[in-house]
Amino acid sequence: MARAFDLRHAALAALLVCMSAGANAALFEDDEARRAILELRQRVEAMRVQSEQRLTDENGQLRRSLLDLQNQIETMRGDMQRMTGQNEQLARTVSELQQRQTDIDDRLKKNEPAKVAVDGREFTADPREKADFDAALGVFRSGQFAQAQTAFAEFVKRYPQSGYTPSALFWLGNAQYATRNYNEAIANFRSMLSLAPDHAKAPEAVLSIANCQIELKDTRAARRTLEDLTKAYPQSEAAQAGRERLSRLK
């Protein structure tokens, strides 16, 4: 009986030892698991912190990049506005220069010699030259013969080589005839005939010389002039008038 009791006691003790060892092993395993979990949590936390920091850094860099890009865009916009303003100013300047050039060209064209036709004769004359002749002729046609005499005399002096000169001499002679300056009129009619004997008004100039001579009571000279008229320009109206006048001379 005592032996059996000891065996049971020993078995129980062994069981308790085994249970205690198992419990200690379980406790050891729990501690390891906790430590592993803590380490894992720490790693996860560290990774989270690192990730957030990296995201923060990346966001900061992205913001700086966006800010730099925005500044560049604003700078480019300002440059474009300045360039646009400069281009607009340049366009206005070019337009003004073109207008000035057009004005200059127009003025040059107005001052350029042009073809004119007077008394059946064509020649080139400056605009000012034409204007002066037309003005003098306008004065004559208005009946202001003294003023016309001055205007045509100044024209001949100012434009001695002008194609208008024969006509100017003719009208100058007529203005002088109208103001009874017969000798001066004869001189200018003869200058006109010497310069342009084939002029359309040459027959009238010869007839006007005869008229001046008649007014000067130089009948012999007038007769000779009228005879020359009918010989030089037999088909002209002036020659017909000369024949009639010649028949009345004594």
Side-chain angles (χ1 to χ4, degrees):
M1 287 288 292
R3 184 177 179 78
F5 178 77
D6 291 337
L7 290 171
R8 285 198 296 275
H9 187 269
L12 180 58
L15 178 61
L16 289 173
V17 171
C18 290
M19 291 178 63
S20 176
N24 289 333
L27 289 172
F28 178 78
E29 290 176 355
D30 287 343
D31 290 339
E32 290 293 328
R34 280 195 293 274
R35 283 196 294 273
I37 290 171
L38 288 174
E39 290 177 357
L40 181 60
R41 286 178 178 173
Q42 290 173 353
R43 290 177 182 176
V44 170
E45 181 64 19
M47 292 175 65
R48 185 186 65 77
V49 171
Q50 291 177 355
S51 177
E52 288 181 353
Q53 185 62 43
R54 186 167 59 252
L55 287 174
T56 300
D57 294 342
E58 290 177 353
N59 286 337
Q61 182 63 37
L62 181 60
R63 289 192 192 96
R64 288 191 293 273
S65 297
L66 289 174
L67 182 60
D68 290 342
L69 180 60
Q70 183 65 31
N71 290 335
Q72 292 177 11
I73 291 173
E74 290 300 324
T75 300
M76 292 178 64
R77 182 178 290 115
D79 291 341
M80 290 181 66
Q81 288 176 348
R82 284 192 296 274
M83 290 177 65
T84 299
Q86 291 173 355
N87 288 338
E88 290 176 352
Q89 180 60 42
L90 181 60
R92 286 193 294 270
T93 300
V94 170
S95 178
E96 291 173 359
L97 288 174
Q98 289 175 338
Q99 184 60 47
R100 289 179 185 175
Q101 185 62 47
T102 299
D103 294 341
I104 291 172
D105 290 342
D106 289 342
R107 286 197 295 271
L108 289 175
K109 287 180 180 178
K110 289 179 180 179
N111 292 322
E112 287 180 353
K115 276 190 176 183
V116 295
V118 177
D119 297 325
R121 296 167 65 89
E122 285 192 358
F123 52 91
T124 300
D126 291 333
R128 182 62 183 175
E129 181 182 349
K130 179 179 185 301
D132 287 348
F133 178 83
D134 290 342
L137 187 59
V139 173
F140 179 89
R141 287 174 174 169
S142 69
Q144 302 177 68
F145 301 117
Q147 294 87 336
Q149 178 177 330
T150 300
F152 279 117
E154 290 179 352
F155 180 91
V156 171
K157 183 177 179 180
R158 187 179 300 120
Y159 306 103
Q161 305 301 321
S162 173
Y164 284 107
T165 298
S167 295
L169 289 169
F170 173 80
W171 293 111
L172 173 58
N174 277 280
Q176 290 169 331
Y177 178 86
T179 55
R180 299 183 179 182
N181 294 317
Y182 302 122
N183 288 319
E184 292 84 351
I186 291 172
N188 284 304
F189 284 131
R190 285 177 173 168
S191 294
M192 180 258 191
L193 292 168
S194 176
L195 185 64
D198 59 343
H199 194 277
K201 292 190 177 296
E204 293 181 47
V206 178
L207 180 61
S208 295
I209 292 173
N211 290 336
C212 288
Q213 291 167 336
I214 291 171
E215 295 295 336
L216 290 170
K217 309 302 182 181
D218 191 351
T219 305
R220 180 179 298 178
R223 182 181 294 276
R224 186 166 54 251
T225 299
L226 291 172
E227 289 174 348
D228 291 340
L229 170 62
T230 58
K231 292 177 182 178
Y233 308 101
Q235 304 302 320
S236 64
E237 292 183 5
Q240 179 61 36
R243 292 187 188 95
E244 294 176 0
R245 184 155 300 181
L246 186 59
S247 66
R248 294 197 297 271
L249 285 179
K250 296 181 179 179

PDB file of all heavy atoms in Angstrom, residues 69-83:
ATOM      1  N   LEU A  69       6.747  76.930 -61.109  1.00  0.00           N
ATOM      2  CA  LEU A  69       6.095  76.896 -62.415  1.00  0.00           C
ATOM      3  C   LEU A  69       5.126  78.059 -62.556  1.00  0.00           C
ATOM      4  O   LEU A  69       5.059  78.704 -63.614  1.00  0.00           O
ATOM      5  CB  LEU A  69       5.358  75.565 -62.594  1.00  0.00           C
ATOM      6  CG  LEU A  69       4.626  75.373 -63.929  1.00  0.00           C
ATOM      7  CD1 LEU A  69       5.603  75.456 -65.096  1.00  0.00           C
ATOM      8  CD2 LEU A  69       3.889  74.035 -63.952  1.00  0.00           C
ATOM      9  N   GLN A  70       4.373  78.360 -61.461  1.00  0.00           N
ATOM     10  CA  GLN A  70       3.443  79.477 -61.502  1.00  0.00           C
ATOM     11  C   GLN A  70       4.182  80.797 -61.700  1.00  0.00           C
ATOM     12  O   GLN A  70       3.760  81.672 -62.468  1.00  0.00           O
ATOM     13  CB  GLN A  70       2.631  79.523 -60.202  1.00  0.00           C
ATOM     14  CG  GLN A  70       1.567  80.614 -60.174  1.00  0.00           C
ATOM     15  CD  GLN A  70       0.483  80.385 -61.214  1.00  0.00           C
ATOM     16  OE1 GLN A  70       0.167  79.249 -61.549  1.00  0.00           O
ATOM     17  NE2 GLN A  70      -0.066  81.469 -61.758  1.00  0.00           N
ATOM     18  N   ASN A  71       5.326  80.933 -61.009  1.00  0.00           N
ATOM     19  CA  ASN A  71       6.132  82.142 -61.168  1.00  0.00           C
ATOM     20  C   ASN A  71       6.645  82.267 -62.593  1.00  0.00           C
ATOM     21  O   ASN A  71       6.676  83.365 -63.170  1.00  0.00           O
ATOM     22  CB  ASN A  71       7.306  82.120 -60.186  1.00  0.00           C
ATOM     23  CG  ASN A  71       6.850  82.308 -58.740  1.00  0.00           C
ATOM     24  OD1 ASN A  71       5.790  82.896 -58.488  1.00  0.00           O
ATOM     25  ND2 ASN A  71       7.629  81.808 -57.790  1.00  0.00           N
ATOM     26  N   GLN A  72       7.062  81.127 -63.160  1.00  0.00           N
ATOM     27  CA  GLN A  72       7.535  81.140 -64.537  1.00  0.00           C
ATOM     28  C   GLN A  72       6.417  81.524 -65.491  1.00  0.00           C
ATOM     29  O   GLN A  72       6.619  82.291 -66.444  1.00  0.00           O
ATOM     30  CB  GLN A  72       8.110  79.770 -64.907  1.00  0.00           C
ATOM     31  CG  GLN A  72       9.399  79.417 -64.186  1.00  0.00           C
ATOM     32  CD  GLN A  72       9.886  78.021 -64.518  1.00  0.00           C
ATOM     33  OE1 GLN A  72       9.378  77.376 -65.437  1.00  0.00           O
ATOM     34  NE2 GLN A  72      10.863  77.545 -63.754  1.00  0.00           N
ATOM     35  N   ILE A  73       5.227  80.973 -65.203  1.00  0.00           N
ATOM     36  CA  ILE A  73       4.064  81.297 -66.049  1.00  0.00           C
ATOM     37  C   ILE A  73       3.745  82.790 -65.959  1.00  0.00           C
ATOM     38  O   ILE A  73       3.482  83.448 -66.975  1.00  0.00           O
ATOM     39  CB  ILE A  73       2.844  80.450 -65.637  1.00  0.00           C
ATOM     40  CG1 ILE A  73       3.080  78.972 -65.998  1.00  0.00           C
ATOM     41  CG2 ILE A  73       1.578  80.971 -66.317  1.00  0.00           C
ATOM     42  CD1 ILE A  73       2.010  78.043 -65.487  1.00  0.00           C
ATOM     43  N   GLU A  74       3.765  83.336 -64.730  1.00  0.00           N
ATOM     44  CA  GLU A  74       3.500  84.760 -64.554  1.00  0.00           C
ATOM     45  C   GLU A  74       4.556  85.604 -65.258  1.00  0.00           C
ATOM     46  O   GLU A  74       4.244  86.628 -65.876  1.00  0.00           O
ATOM     47  CB  GLU A  74       3.462  85.098 -63.065  1.00  0.00           C
ATOM     48  CG  GLU A  74       2.252  84.539 -62.326  1.00  0.00           C
ATOM     49  CD  GLU A  74       0.944  85.059 -62.878  1.00  0.00           C
ATOM     50  OE1 GLU A  74       0.913  86.242 -63.271  1.00  0.00           O
ATOM     51  OE2 GLU A  74      -0.037  84.301 -62.919  1.00  0.00           O
ATOM     52  N   THR A  75       5.822  85.150 -65.126  1.00  0.00           N
ATOM     53  CA  THR A  75       6.899  85.872 -65.807  1.00  0.00           C
ATOM     54  C   THR A  75       6.702  85.848 -67.315  1.00  0.00           C
ATOM     55  O   THR A  75       6.840  86.866 -68.001  1.00  0.00           O
ATOM     56  CB  THR A  75       8.263  85.252 -65.454  1.00  0.00           C
ATOM     57  OG1 THR A  75       8.462  85.331 -64.036  1.00  0.00           O
ATOM     58  CG2 THR A  75       9.393  85.997 -66.159  1.00  0.00           C
ATOM     59  N   MET A  76       6.361  84.648 -67.836  1.00  0.00           N
ATOM     60  CA  MET A  76       6.115  84.528 -69.277  1.00  0.00           C
ATOM     61  C   MET A  76       4.919  85.363 -69.700  1.00  0.00           C
ATOM     62  O   MET A  76       4.940  85.996 -70.759  1.00  0.00           O
ATOM     63  CB  MET A  76       5.896  83.055 -69.642  1.00  0.00           C
ATOM     64  CG  MET A  76       7.134  82.188 -69.507  1.00  0.00           C
ATOM     65  SD  MET A  76       6.804  80.457 -69.882  1.00  0.00           S
ATOM     66  CE  MET A  76       6.362  80.564 -71.615  1.00  0.00           C
ATOM     67  N   ARG A  77       3.871  85.380 -68.842  1.00  0.00           N
ATOM     68  CA  ARG A  77       2.698  86.183 -69.169  1.00  0.00           C
ATOM     69  C   ARG A  77       3.064  87.666 -69.220  1.00  0.00           C
ATOM     70  O   ARG A  77       2.635  88.406 -70.112  1.00  0.00           O
ATOM     71  CB  ARG A  77       1.593  85.940 -68.146  1.00  0.00           C
ATOM     72  CG  ARG A  77       0.305  86.708 -68.454  1.00  0.00           C
ATOM     73  CD  ARG A  77      -0.796  86.421 -67.460  1.00  0.00           C
ATOM     74  NE  ARG A  77      -1.288  85.054 -67.615  1.00  0.00           N
ATOM     75  CZ  ARG A  77      -1.177  84.111 -66.698  1.00  0.00           C
ATOM     76  NH1 ARG A  77      -0.567  84.382 -65.542  1.00  0.00           N
ATOM     77  NH2 ARG A  77      -1.655  82.906 -66.903  1.00  0.00           N
ATOM     78  N   GLY A  78       3.870  88.097 -68.229  1.00  0.00           N
ATOM     79  CA  GLY A  78       4.323  89.488 -68.238  1.00  0.00           C
ATOM     80  C   GLY A  78       5.162  89.799 -69.465  1.00  0.00           C
ATOM     81  O   GLY A  78       5.015  90.853 -70.090  1.00  0.00           O
ATOM     82  N   ASP A  79       6.059  88.843 -69.816  1.00  0.00           N
ATOM     83  CA  ASP A  79       6.887  89.037 -71.008  1.00  0.00           C
ATOM     84  C   ASP A  79       6.028  89.122 -72.261  1.00  0.00           C
ATOM     85  O   ASP A  79       6.275  89.952 -73.143  1.00  0.00           O
ATOM     86  CB  ASP A  79       7.892  87.891 -71.149  1.00  0.00           C
ATOM     87  CG  ASP A  79       8.959  87.923 -70.054  1.00  0.00           C
ATOM     88  OD1 ASP A  79       9.138  88.996 -69.439  1.00  0.00           O
ATOM     89  OD2 ASP A  79       9.600  86.890 -69.816  1.00  0.00           O
ATOM     90  N   MET A  80       5.003  88.241 -72.328  1.00  0.00           N
ATOM     91  CA  MET A  80       4.117  88.253 -73.496  1.00  0.00           C
ATOM     92  C   MET A  80       3.339  89.554 -73.571  1.00  0.00           C
ATOM     93  O   MET A  80       3.135  90.108 -74.653  1.00  0.00           O
ATOM     94  CB  MET A  80       3.163  87.059 -73.436  1.00  0.00           C
ATOM     95  CG  MET A  80       3.838  85.712 -73.668  1.00  0.00           C
ATOM     96  SD  MET A  80       2.681  84.333 -73.609  1.00  0.00           S
ATOM     97  CE  MET A  80       1.664  84.684 -75.048  1.00  0.00           C
ATOM     98  N   GLN A  81       2.897  90.057 -72.385  1.00  0.00           N
ATOM     99  CA  GLN A  81       2.172  91.328 -72.392  1.00  0.00           C
ATOM    100  C   GLN A  81       3.072  92.461 -72.852  1.00  0.00           C
ATOM    101  O   GLN A  81       2.653  93.337 -73.618  1.00  0.00           O
ATOM    102  CB  GLN A  81       1.634  91.613 -70.989  1.00  0.00           C
ATOM    103  CG  GLN A  81       0.470  90.702 -70.589  1.00  0.00           C
ATOM    104  CD  GLN A  81       0.026  90.934 -69.159  1.00  0.00           C
ATOM    105  OE1 GLN A  81       0.703  91.615 -68.385  1.00  0.00           O
ATOM    106  NE2 GLN A  81      -1.114  90.369 -68.796  1.00  0.00           N
ATOM    107  N   ARG A  82       4.324  92.451 -72.357  1.00  0.00           N
ATOM    108  CA  ARG A  82       5.257  93.478 -72.800  1.00  0.00           C
ATOM    109  C   ARG A  82       5.537  93.364 -74.291  1.00  0.00           C
ATOM    110  O   ARG A  82       5.592  94.368 -75.010  1.00  0.00           O
ATOM    111  CB  ARG A  82       6.562  93.371 -72.010  1.00  0.00           C
ATOM    112  CG  ARG A  82       6.455  93.917 -70.586  1.00  0.00           C
ATOM    113  CD  ARG A  82       7.835  94.045 -69.959  1.00  0.00           C
ATOM    114  NE  ARG A  82       8.482  92.763 -69.793  1.00  0.00           N
ATOM    115  CZ  ARG A  82       8.301  91.966 -68.738  1.00  0.00           C
ATOM    116  NH1 ARG A  82       7.477  92.336 -67.761  1.00  0.00           N
ATOM    117  NH2 ARG A  82       8.951  90.819 -68.654  1.00  0.00           N
ATOM    118  N   MET A  83       5.714  92.096 -74.743  1.00  0.00           N
ATOM    119  CA  MET A  83       5.960  91.893 -76.167  1.00  0.00           C
ATOM    120  C   MET A  83       4.756  92.316 -76.993  1.00  0.00           C
ATOM    121  O   MET A  83       4.903  92.911 -78.062  1.00  0.00           O
ATOM    122  CB  MET A  83       6.301  90.424 -76.433  1.00  0.00           C
ATOM    123  CG  MET A  83       7.652  89.997 -75.885  1.00  0.00           C
ATOM    124  SD  MET A  83       7.987  88.246 -76.150  1.00  0.00           S
ATOM    125  CE  MET A  83       8.050  88.201 -77.950  1.00  0.00           C
TER     126      MET A  83
END
